Amino acid sequence: EQFIVAPSIEPSPSTTMVLQASTRSSSVASFKVMDVLEQANLLSAQGHKVLHCEVGQPETGAPQLVSRAAAAALQGQQVMGYTDAFGLLPLRNEIAQHYQKKYGNDNNVTVDPSRIVVTTGSSGAFLLAFTACFDAGDVVAIASAGYPCYRNILSALDCQLEHIKVNHEFKLTRNELQVQVEQRRGDNEKPIRGLILSSPSNPTGAMLTSQELQELCEYCDENDIQFLSDEIYHGISYGKQEATALQFTNNAIIINSFSKYYSMSGWRLGWMVLPPHLVDPINSLQQNMFINAPTVSQTAALQCWKDETLQELEGHVTKYRSSRKIILEALATLPGLQIAPADGGFYVYVDLRGTSKGGDDNSPPLLALPDLGTVAMCAALLQEHYVAFTPGIDFEDPETNLGNCRFRISYAGGIDTATEAMERFLQFWPTWLQRVQTALSS
């Protein structure tokens, strides 16, 4: 047979297109802790023993019963196909019972499983919730020190952010929110349509009291503010009682995840409890965006509330408590640091700003801004002592310089990691102070 080859056609300059990323994607900041992790992994690949205190990833894998259930499901005859968009009904029933057992005894907390959607991690929950609740241009409030992906995802959706300054306890309460609401009203600006807040907080570890959470829920209801309560760190607290927004309102969206307390970060599984008016909209969005959360993860997660699993998970919290103590005791030997409460989660958040010009306790200056802030400090610590901390620029309002004055230490990586990391940090600290002093003297 004879084949005829069509002549190639070169596009004319006038028709040549330059493919490029969308303005939306180009405007979204990176998740800085993942940048730190990338650098730490490069050093590990070069043979250095890097201590990972940057990411909030538990050192433990999934609970044993969960792993066994996943293996059995994959090796068995189950297809592991699609589930309902809202997830496996037995899993949603387990989540509903969890709320009744953990919060319901004295607070009459009951949840209909029809209000529960199982999501692709809390990240999938954020995208679903933000898309369902807000339109482009809506004003959404976040804490001035908070989880960066709130800011980044909302910005990608063209929402307008209102950073509300946390108080001296590193909390955002009704008082701080009310000041901002009334100021916007007085200035004839668009009202705040939503608030997302985590308690215990990432990065600060601060946790609202039950009364503070109740007051915040009531204020949001009174002012038509959609409250999104991020409760991903529930189960990991140190002496203070946790409260859920479900105790005080049926209008809030509750967001949780299997990544932290349940130690299943890579399984990409979370959930939301929805107010009735958002059940149908989020069902449609889930069908189109994700179809359903990973079926094998859902199947395995049915084991999360077995007595054996809960005993294992409480053992993790005991280890977190020990690591927290190690870090706080080490930091207490360094004068001039301001440390956030660390009531829950597995982070310690440190502010060096208080003695940037020397303090009343005769402590030396800890910063020489702009060059020698926590961004430079964390970089030097990683390169010289192979300890990965996260600078505050990941968490703070980018309109301020607080991100270069604060840093976060994660103690999710275990007791040995926390111990050795703080030993190396204490070795590094005098050299850092000398650099600061030299910079300020020049």
Side-chain angles (χ1 to χ4, degrees):
E1 298 182 21
Q2 188 174 14
F3 295 93
I4 300 175
V5 179
S8 60
I9 302 175
E10 294 291 336
S12 64
S14 61
T15 61
T16 301
M17 293 181 60
V18 178
L19 300 179
Q20 57 188 11
S22 68
T23 303
R24 172 182 287 109
S25 65
S26 301
S27 66
V28 176
S30 65
F31 192 5
K32 300 297 187 299
V33 69
M34 302 310 293
D35 295 339
V36 176
L37 177 62
E38 181 180 2
Q39 292 299 313
N41 287 338
L42 287 174
L43 290 169
S44 294
Q46 294 169 10
H48 301 291
K49 181 183 178 183
V50 176
L51 300 175
H52 290 277
C53 297
E54 78 279 40
V55 290
Q57 176 169 291
E59 65 161 340
T60 51
Q64 293 184 23
L65 288 183
V66 171
S67 296
R68 290 177 199 157
L74 292 172
Q75 294 168 1
Q77 300 301 311
Q78 299 183 57
V79 175
M80 293 292 108
Y82 297 131
T83 71
D84 291 344
F86 266 34
L88 293 171
L89 183 57
L91 180 57
R92 290 154 59 201
N93 286 334
E94 287 285 349
I95 293 170
Q97 291 173 22
H98 159 70
Y99 280 97
Q100 177 65 40
K101 291 176 182 177
K102 184 174 176 67
Y103 307 101
N105 291 338
D106 301 321
N107 300 289
N108 195 32
V109 174
T110 58
V111 180
D112 190 317
S114 66
R115 293 173 55 195
I116 296 171
V117 52
V118 183
T119 61
T120 308
S122 61
S123 300
F126 297 145
L127 187 57
L128 288 168
F130 295 162
T131 308
C133 294
F134 310 122
D135 292 315
D138 281 349
V139 180
V140 183
I142 61 175
S144 61
Y147 183 53
C149 294
Y150 301 157
R151 180 173 63 244
N152 296 342
I153 297 173
L154 285 165
S155 295
L157 295 173
D158 292 326
C159 291
Q160 181 180 334
L161 295 172
E162 181 66 71
H163 291 85
I164 299 181
K165 186 177 179 180
V166 296
N167 62 24
H168 68 283
E169 295 181 308
F170 290 85
K171 295 180 181 181
L172 191 168
T173 69
R174 171 188 174 137
N175 294 337
E176 289 73 44
L177 177 61
Q178 183 173 352
V179 167
Q180 210 65 34
V181 168
E182 292 178 355
Q183 180 176 323
R184 294 187 68 88
R185 188 177 296 148
D187 293 341
N188 200 29
E189 294 181 309
K190 287 193 294 187
I192 292 174
R193 285 287 308 278
L195 166 69
I196 181 164
L197 183 69
S198 62
S199 176
S201 166
N202 174 15
T204 69
M207 187 165 70
L208 297 179
T209 65
S210 179
Q211 181 177 345
E212 288 170 335
L213 182 59
Q214 180 176 358
E215 291 172 352
L216 194 61
C217 289
E218 291 173 350
Y219 186 79
C220 286
D221 285 349
E222 292 165 2
N223 290 273
D224 298 323
I225 297 172
Q226 178 63 65
F227 181 37
L228 294 85
S229 182
D230 182 352
E231 301 176 1
I232 188 174
Y233 292 99
H234 274 213
I236 309 174
S237 58
Y238 311 102
K240 294 188 177 181
Q241 185 175 3
E242 299 161 350
T244 174
L246 285 171
Q247 295 169 218
F248 311 115
T249 181
N250 284 319
N251 295 321
I253 297 174
I254 312 302
I255 299 173
N256 211 318
S257 170
F258 291 87
S259 294
K260 307 302 181 181
Y261 176 74
Y262 300 97
S263 195
M264 296 172 61
S265 56
W267 297 64
R268 306 316 303 136
L269 202 64
W271 75 82
M272 289 191 289
V273 181
L274 303 173
H277 70 280
L278 289 176
V279 169
D280 288 341
I282 285 184
N283 187 36
S284 297
L285 290 168
Q286 172 87 323
Q287 291 170 353
N288 285 279
M289 289 181 171
F290 301 103
I291 299 181
N292 61 265
T295 303
V296 66
S297 299
Q298 292 191 60
T299 303
L302 287 165
Q303 306 300 313
C304 280
W305 293 278
K306 303 292 186 184
D307 289 343
E308 179 182 333
T309 300
L310 292 174
Q311 184 176 357
E312 183 179 347
L313 295 174
E314 286 302 307
H316 296 173
V317 177
T318 299
K319 292 180 180 179
Y320 298 146
R321 184 178 290 108
S322 297
S323 298
R324 172 180 178 269
K325 183 171 184 276
I326 289 165
I327 292 171
L328 291 176
E329 288 182 349
L331 293 175
T333 66
L334 305 177
L337 305 182
Q338 182 185 3
I339 301 171
D343 297 325
F346 31 58
Y347 308 112
V348 173
Y349 200 50
V350 184
D351 190 340
L352 305 185
R353 182 180 43 146
T355 54
S356 59
K357 295 183 180 178
D360 294 337
D361 56 1
N362 296 318
S363 57
L366 310 182
L367 297 167
L369 297 176
D371 295 331
L372 292 185
T374 54
V375 173
M377 188 202 78
C378 290
L381 180 64
L382 179 58
Q383 291 296 324
E384 297 167 17
H385 290 263
Y386 310 116
V387 177
F389 292 169
T390 305
I393 56 169
D394 216 11
F395 312 106
E396 297 288 340
D397 179 355
E399 297 298 318
T400 74
N401 71 343
L402 286 178
N404 204 21
C405 302
R406 295 171 172 173
F407 66 97
R408 188 190 75 175
I409 305 171
S410 168
Y411 50 89
I415 296 172
D416 292 343
T417 295
T419 301
E420 188 173 353
M422 296 315 294
E423 289 173 353
R424 295 188 194 181
F425 182 63
L426 293 179
Q427 293 169 6
F428 164 80
W429 189 245
T431 69
W432 172 253
L433 295 182
Q434 183 59 50
R435 290 176 217 188
V436 169
Q437 188 60 51
T438 299
L440 292 175
S441 300
S442 61

